[in-house]
Amino acid sequence: MSSLTVGIAGITGKFARELTSALFKYPEITVKGYCRDPSKVPQSFASKVTVVKGDAFDTSAIRSFASGCDVVVCCYLGDPKLMTDGQKLLIDACAAEGVPRYVSSDWCLDYSKLELGQLFPKDPMIHVKAYLDAQDKVKGVHILIGAFMDIVFSPPFGVWDDASTTFKYWGTGDEVWEGTTYQNAAEYTAAVCADKNAVGFQKFVGGLSSFREIAKSFEKVYGVQPKLECLGSLDDLFNHMHELKRKNPQDFFSYIYLFFNYYMTNGQTLMGPKLDNDKYPQVKPTSWEDNFRAIPREHLSKAYYVVGQKD
């Protein structure tokens, strides 16, 4: 099996840490990282990776990072300028240095079915895909995974109330949610990196369940029947989130999770029915129920905060 060098831009982030750990399971892969502060690279794998220091707009450092890579994975997470212009600089560096594949910072619902402005934090992904489509030297890879399960149960998302053991939903509760854990998404991403023929959209899902089914899985695993609380119809959600945004657009976190909830629930961004899970049988999908089994009940709402912290 031929050797492969995978470059990870933003290697100190949560998902990047999970991805680095997953890549170490492939003996043919060497990992190269890029970040502003190499001292933040976890000690558990600092000696196993080569790290180039630089920021997202340092073109010289980015070229040095991209040099010698067979695929570059962007793990940036930030404002629209970083997610759009920062990624374009990485893509330009890949083209200049002969890197054949670029994995965009996606890992989300199927944004290809969105119009610009609908789920506005995903607008940069639409712009970056168009930029990659226009390239003749670099092939784009876009990994879709639905929602990160770890985030769904965190307090900001607003669907799980640990104190009252209540799942809160909009709609009927029968709408299907596609979800994947950070770790599982990283495992699929590592498999894609190792597969030199993997380009374009790659769609992976750990679990497909409605909120009512998720609640049943919770009861099955933890032995406690949770309450279900309907917060209103999807039309109510649409009007509520836009009203909050109109009244106080600066209060971003008061409405952004509602936007994600809406576009995950209304069916517009579902990836199925054709998924790519079967391409990589070495990766076992983690269902919603599997996720519960892996996390003590008292840690469920805190799972997101410890992503990438395992040695």
Side-chain angles (χ1 to χ4, degrees), residues 71-90:
V71 56
V72 163
V73 184
C74 179
C75 290
Y76 291 166
L77 180 62
D79 62 27
K81 179 176 176 60
L82 173 66
M83 300 307 291
T84 304
D85 297 339
Q87 289 205 75
K88 287 180 178 180
L89 289 178
L90 281 171

Side-chain angles (χ1 to χ4, degrees), residues 44 61 69-70 81 148 151 154 181 187 193 199 257 263 291-292:
S44 58
C69 291
D70 296 290
K81 179 176 176 60
F148 278 123
I151 295 178
S154 67
T181 66
E187 292 167 341
C193 289
V199 296
Y257 292 108
Y263 285 104
N291 183 53
F292 290 143

